[in-house]
Amino acid sequence: MRWSLALALLAGVAWAEDSSTSTSSSSSSESSDSTTSSSLALSDATTVTDASAAVPTGSYEVYSTTITLADGDHLTSTITQNSSATTTGNGTVVTTTHNSVTVLVGGAGTTTLGNSSMNATATTSSTSTAVATNTRPCNSYAEYCGRSYSNITMVAAHNSPFVRKGNAAANQEFTVKYQLDDGVRMLQFQVHNQNGTMELCHTSCSMLDVGTLEAYLTTVTEWIRNNPYDVVTLLMGNYDYVSPSHFVDPIKSSGLYDYVYTPTKIPMALDDWPTLSEMIITGKRAVIFMDYQANQTAYPWLMDEFSQIWETPFSPTSRAFPCTAQRPPGITNVQAKNRMYMANHNLNIELNLGSIDLLIPNSAVLNETNAVSGYGSLGKMARNCTAKWDRPPNFLLVDYYNDGNFNGSVFEVAAEMNNVTYNNQSCCGTASAAVPGMSTVTVSTMLLVAAGVQFFLSAF
């Protein structure tokens, strides 16, 4: 009995591998976008449906008016803050002084993005002095220097710290340093409170614990320090809904606080954000969001995600990837168009093995999920989102960013959204960082087999 169940699981995995091989050789043209995806049968008793995972329950901040900040961390006006529980390229770089802020400006000509346009050249200023051209200006593109933070599409690493070989709960193949080197500019992850220590765990610390928040942030801070022309965003999941005060010490002890950006308003509307050059010149190049329990009246720089960013459906298991606003619940189209947004494009398989209910990346179709075009692709979703909302997504949240229809395909999509040219020779990671001779698909499916066999054997 137990061996037949294990063999059934193996058969399901073999089907996934065969599917991956066959689909990778099929056409990825946009004409295939109408294809209907089928569920992945892991065994006779376990079938993955096309529903997204249950949305986390948490409190969403509601601001009745805007707070104006002065001197970085101090409030200049008071408001009523309500919290309601809901279940549901070539450019010459110059400096320009304007309003006492020196900015970098690079790139020639006018770039149109969605329904908005920006001029990336120097404009009227009190003083203008030519300086040496930077080799990596403003997140590696001179064109970004004159754009606002909210007018750029960034690749986001879903569960960035979780890079554990041999663990099914991992979501990335390369460590955070490689992620940043390759061009990832948003790092998303879960944080758990383990007896007062903020730990990076995926779902459960007994399943995958990759160390402390402070240690991870120390590595991020070192990268930021060594890359002075880059702005990095962190999105922290407050898994246990603890007070934001628990996050302050790790952020300060890691050195990250020295680079943290403090907004000028609470919350920041789409047009309130500074240009990347302003953030770079002032040295405030780390933007931190937290999903739940943020208290910006106490910690203005630890920003509440959902009053400033909305998300498409959470942890999707369907390849349809609709570009609808799911979190925060009840957001209107008018509100959505005045905030940044994140496209959740990390495709999952839902495993129901007895008492275990786990979402893991659907590695079998990564070459399609992270592709530039085709059904279920990141490129297709980004274009759909741009058409629907008249502007591209700000953040493209993906698993295994290095996999796709070619190395760096996710960055190609972001470059398209930003109307710049991506150099695909720069990606991804190093050969020594991966499991030798094994693809991500192979690793994940072997883990799936091991987990299933272990579970069924222990059940008898």
Side-chain angles (χ1 to χ4, degrees):
M1 175 66 177
R2 60 185 183 183
W3 289 111
S4 62
L5 289 170
L7 289 172
L9 190 64
L10 281 166
V13 172
W15 180 90
E17 292 279 14
D18 291 342
S19 175
S20 177
T21 302
S22 62
T23 54
S24 64
S25 62
S26 63
S27 172
S28 60
S29 65
E30 295 297 337
S31 62
S32 64
D33 293 341
S34 61
T35 303
T36 302
S37 69
S38 60
S39 59
L40 175 61
L42 299 174
S43 71
D44 292 339
T46 306
T47 301
V48 179
T49 65
D50 282 343
S52 292
V55 181
T57 299
S59 297
Y60 296 85
E61 302 297 333
V62 179
Y63 293 91
S64 59
T65 188
T66 301
I67 304 173
T68 301
L69 299 174
D71 300 325
D73 294 335
H74 302 93
L75 305 182
T76 60
S77 63
T78 59
I79 68 160
T80 302
Q81 178 180 340
N82 302 315
S83 179
S84 59
T86 310
T87 58
T88 41
N90 183 27
T92 298
V93 179
V94 301
T95 59
T96 302
T97 301
H98 179 70
N99 292 336
S100 301
V101 177
T102 303
V103 299
L104 288 170
V105 181
T110 300
T111 299
T112 302
L113 185 60
N115 276 355
S116 62
S117 63
M118 46 71 62
N119 194 320
T121 59
T123 55
T124 303
S125 61
S126 57
T127 61
S128 181
T129 306
V131 296
T133 300
N134 300 313
T135 57
R136 294 184 61 194
C138 306
N139 283 22
S140 299
Y141 290 93
E143 294 91 334
Y144 295 174
C145 291
R147 296 187 193 178
S148 69
Y149 172 86
S150 59
N151 194 24
I152 296 173
T153 297
M154 312 174 200
V155 173
H158 177 232
N159 283 329
S160 163
F162 303 123
V163 188
R164 180 69 59 83
K165 295 176 183 177
N167 193 299
N171 292 88
Q172 301 297 334
E173 186 170 354
F174 300 122
T175 63
V176 65
K177 182 183 182 301
Y178 293 117
Q179 294 170 23
L180 292 168
D181 283 345
D182 285 333
V184 169
R185 287 298 175 267
M186 174 189 262
L187 309 170
Q188 183 274 343
F189 49 90
Q190 287 182 18
V191 186
H192 294 235
N193 182 13
Q194 287 291 96
N195 300 317
T197 299
M198 303 309 287
E199 291 280 324
L200 298 177
C201 304
H202 189 185
T203 306
S204 167
C205 288
S206 62
M207 178 180 300
L208 181 56
D209 184 342
V210 297
T212 66
L213 173 62
E214 181 179 337
Y216 174 81
L217 294 182
T218 298
T219 301
V220 173
T221 301
E222 181 181 1
W223 192 93
I224 291 175
R225 184 181 297 115
N226 293 332
N227 294 268
Y229 295 104
D230 288 272
V231 176
V232 176
T233 302
L234 298 96
L235 174 54
M236 302 189 296
N238 186 359
Y239 190 87
D240 298 317
Y241 305 121
V242 297
S243 166
S245 61
H246 288 78
F247 292 80
V248 175
D249 283 346
I251 290 171
K252 291 186 175 181
S253 297
S254 67
L256 184 62
Y257 185 72
D258 294 340
Y259 299 95
V260 168
Y261 170 75
T262 299
T264 56
K265 300 177 181 178
I266 305 173
M268 293 282 278
L270 192 66
D271 294 334
D272 290 334
W273 291 90
T275 63
L276 254 61
S277 60
E278 291 172 311
M279 301 172 77
I280 290 167
I281 287 295
T282 57
K284 302 305 180 181
R285 301 183 287 112
V287 184
I288 306 180
F289 292 99
M290 189 163 70
D291 59 356
Y292 297 107
Q293 305 303 115
N295 181 0
Q296 283 195 249
T297 55
Y299 310 102
W301 48 269
L302 188 53
M303 289 182 275
D304 172 61
E305 176 191 2
F306 293 118
S307 60
Q308 290 153 116
I309 300 172
W310 60 264
E311 294 186 14
T312 64
F314 174 80
S315 290
T317 56
S318 168
R319 298 182 66 197
F321 293 111
C323 199
T324 54
Q326 184 188 69
R327 293 191 296 173
I331 186 172
T332 66
N333 283 353
V334 172
Q335 291 172 325
K337 288 185 176 182
N338 199 33
R339 302 180 192 181
M340 297 185 293
Y341 73 103
M342 181 164 74
N344 287 313
H345 200 80
N346 52 303
L347 186 65
N348 298 274
I349 293 175
E350 185 175 5
L351 298 182
N352 297 299
L353 301 173
S355 60
I356 302 175
D357 189 0
L358 177 66
L359 286 176
I360 66 170
N362 189 340
S363 300
V365 291
L366 270 173
N367 62 318
E368 298 178 8
T369 301
N370 288 351
V372 173
S373 62
Y375 177 74
S377 70
L378 181 65
K380 178 61 177 177
M381 182 183 196
R383 294 179 201 106
N384 286 343
C385 288
T386 302
K388 180 178 177 64
W389 299 101
D390 296 326
R391 57 187 175 92
N394 297 91
F395 310 104
L396 304 172
L397 190 70
V398 298
D399 287 324
Y400 296 104
Y401 74 91
N402 52 296
D403 277 342
N405 59 319
F406 61 86
N407 286 348
S409 58
V410 297
F411 299 107
E412 178 71 39
V413 174
E416 178 187 332
M417 296 300 103
N418 290 318
N419 197 23
V420 297
T421 300
Y422 172 66
N423 176 13
N424 63 8
Q425 302 301 314
S426 63
C427 199
C428 297
T430 65
S432 61
V435 179
M438 301 177 73
S439 67
T440 302
V441 172
T442 303
V443 173
S444 62
T445 49
M446 285 182 64
L447 292 171
L448 182 57
V449 173
V453 172
Q454 181 180 10
F455 171 79
F456 286 119
L457 288 178
S458 64
F460 294 91

